[in-house]
Amino acid sequence: MENFTFYSPTYFVFGKDGENKAGSMVKRFGGSKVLIHYGGGSVVRSGLLDRVKASLKAEGIEFTELGGVKPNPRSGLVYEGIELCKKEQVDFILAVGGGSTIDSSKAIAAGVLYDGDFWDYYCGRTIEEALPVGTILTIAAAGSEGSPDSVITRESDMMKRGASGDAIRPRFSILNPALTQTLPPFQSAAGITDIMAHLYERYLTNSVDVEVTDRMIEALLLTMKHEGPRVIADPDNYEARANIMWAGMMAHNNSCGVGRSQDWNSHNIEHELSALYDCAHGAGLAVTMPAVFKYVMKHNIMRFAQVAVRVWGCSMDFEHPEVTALEGINAFAAFLTSLGMPRNFEELGAKEEDIPVLVENLCCGNGREGTISGFVTLNKEDCTNIYRMMV
Ligand code: NZQ
Ligand code: ZN
């Protein structure tokens, strides 16, 4: 196990009716003038936004609001939010929605206290200072409710990049699984896929003797394997929703990733797809991961064989461990398809002729010089081959 520091200060409120505590939570963490930030309208239609406002009013907390965050959130609304916060002297940002809303909130929170262009943070500068952010989560997926990360797409060139820093870890996150019962099945499945991707990105490590985190990841993958189909079959299954929601947080607040190197090549390769085609991040990952895994499998066959046996129930072929490894990848891909996720470029809405553009955007610009690195380092030719495997 490698040396690490781990700081996870988020206060979690988990369970039914948690949103009614929004006002007391904001107060507890020092907010007096709040920006309520939300997406394309699901929180308006469900009545959640009204309940949150009522909770703030009950505590005498002033607020202003900014809706309209799109999935794969854009820089334009971030700039708008920064200006609004400065004008209204906002001191706390409350994200009500999914990963896109939370990430846009984090970007605004960092941008308000920064003299330069907030995009600097998305080019490798660590976020050291930000307004406090609280979240009320409506989809189990990105894990942004407990993570120090934010992913934004710059509209001028559709560059999708991440920024990071403990300063943007939410002060509190309200997780009410019942709020996720209104999700369309496709979004539930995309969320399940993203959660499993966050686990695989950490499982694919070059560190040795990381038994505790290996076992934690496997436990969470087994949970997703059990609960995912139950939620797709019965969207109102509160208990399954609850297990998935907590697994989504555990998968990405990095408690399963400490002390080990991590991959993130699948995420980087996928981000170009959701940037160019505006597809759901989880759907893009469903197409990306099997291709990446098959391409890099040889780097450490036993890692893939281990997850195949421990999670996917494959029998170990000691003479040909590559057979077991591949069986595990195929079982994972078939699982994602059974949830309703796309299998290839065509089903995702991607085009083979765009591969050179995808590779160029992936490997160049914003600090990248022809390669991306993780479990293995991939150059442009590797990335081209991987995108071709998805066609
Ligand atoms: O915008 P509204 O109207 O709210 O609709 C959303 C949106 O269309 C809808 N939705 C959310 N909750 C709902 C609901 N519809 C009905 N009922 C509900 N309860 O679902 C759609 C997707 O929402 P979005 O916020 O985009 O989903 P997700 O949480 O998957 O976030 C995706 C974004 O997070 C980034 C992704 O790249 C993508 O941009 N990621 C962020 C990470 C982080 N900050 O740590 C890590 C991840 O790997 C990921 O990259
Ligand atoms: Zn993800």
Side-chain angles (χ1 to χ4, degrees), residues 25 32 39 71 158-159 174 207 211 282-283 304 361:
M25 280 294 118
S32 59
M158 296 311 275
M159 188 75 86
I174 294 175
S207 307
E211 189 72 4
F304 284 97
N361 289 346

Side-chain angles (χ1 to χ4, degrees), residues 115-127:
D115 283 340
D117 183 347
F118 91 91
W119 190 254
D120 292 350
Y121 290 128
Y122 294 76
C123 303
R125 189 187 177 103
T126 302
I127 300 174

Side-chain angles (χ1 to χ4, degrees), residues 180-196:
T180 68
Q181 286 170 346
T182 54
L183 279 166
F186 181 84
Q187 289 296 344
S188 294
I192 290 163
T193 306
D194 193 19
I195 292 167
M196 295 178 90

Side-chain angles (χ1 to χ4, degrees), residues 1-5 197-214 217 251 254-265 299-300 303 373-377:
M1 201 191 296
E2 295 165 21
N3 294 350
F4 65 87
T5 61
H198 297 159
L199 295 163
Y200 265 98
E201 297 280 21
R202 291 179 167 88
Y203 203 76
L204 299 185
T205 186
N206 292 311
S207 307
V208 293
D209 285 336
V210 283
E211 189 72 4
V212 64
T213 40
D214 263 7
I217 294 170
N254 211 29
S255 43
C256 298
V258 293
R260 55 197 289 148
S261 73
Q262 303 178 11
D263 187 3
W264 300 100
N265 279 337
H299 177 67
N300 186 345
R303 194 121 278 274
S373 54
F375 187 53
V376 296
T377 297

